[in-house]
Amino acid sequence: MKTLAIGIIINILLGLILSYLLGGIGLTVALILAAVYVGFKVEKNYKVGALNGAILGIIFGICFGILLDNSLGLLYLRAIGLVIFLLLIPTVIFGIIGAISSIIGIYINEKHQRA
């Protein structure tokens, strides 16, 4: 849980910095780096690491969807179907990205321990 909390903080801070420097892609890069960190620090098995990375990605996806919804002003239009769609798609995509990145972090940790 501590590692996941640190990963969320890293994701937020890197997201702010990299989105300023790289634009929209900076948010995804921040998620990938934070999820690799979470996978590296979990030091368990791939299943636990993927779960933690997915949780990180889901939290990020929900936040991203809310920000996207607010920037488009759809909440005021009461387009509930579209709001749910804008929350669901980023959550699933970023959850998958987080899980894969976390698995990469576990793989890096295993290689590091063997060396």
Side-chain angles (χ1 to χ4, degrees):
M1 197 68 174
K2 179 181 171 184
T3 304
L4 187 59
I6 292 171
I8 291 170
I9 292 168
I10 290 171
N11 193 8
I12 291 169
L13 294 176
L14 276 177
L16 290 172
I17 294 167
L18 293 178
S19 66
Y20 178 73
L21 296 174
L22 302 174
I25 193 75
L27 295 172
T28 305
V29 171
L31 172 64
I32 291 170
L33 293 174
V36 167
Y37 168 80
V38 168
F40 188 83
K41 286 296 193 178
V42 166
E43 296 182 2
K44 303 243 175 168
N45 57 24
Y46 285 99
K47 186 177 180 181
V48 173
L51 180 64
N52 282 312
I55 291 170
L56 179 68
I58 288 169
I59 291 169
F60 179 75
I62 291 170
C63 294
F64 181 81
I66 290 171
L67 289 173
L68 183 63
D69 174 50
N70 286 337
S71 69
L72 295 176
L74 296 176
L75 188 61
Y76 301 109
L77 297 176
R78 303 199 189 274
I80 300 300
L82 191 55
V83 170
I84 292 172
F85 181 75
L86 285 175
L87 283 173
L88 183 64
I89 297 300
T91 302
V92 170
I93 290 171
F94 289 129
I96 292 169
I97 290 171
I100 292 170
S101 300
S102 187
I103 289 171
I104 292 169
I106 293 173
Y107 179 77
I108 292 169
N109 188 11
E110 285 181 355
K111 291 295 182 183
H112 178 25
Q113 287 179 356
R114 289 183 190 162

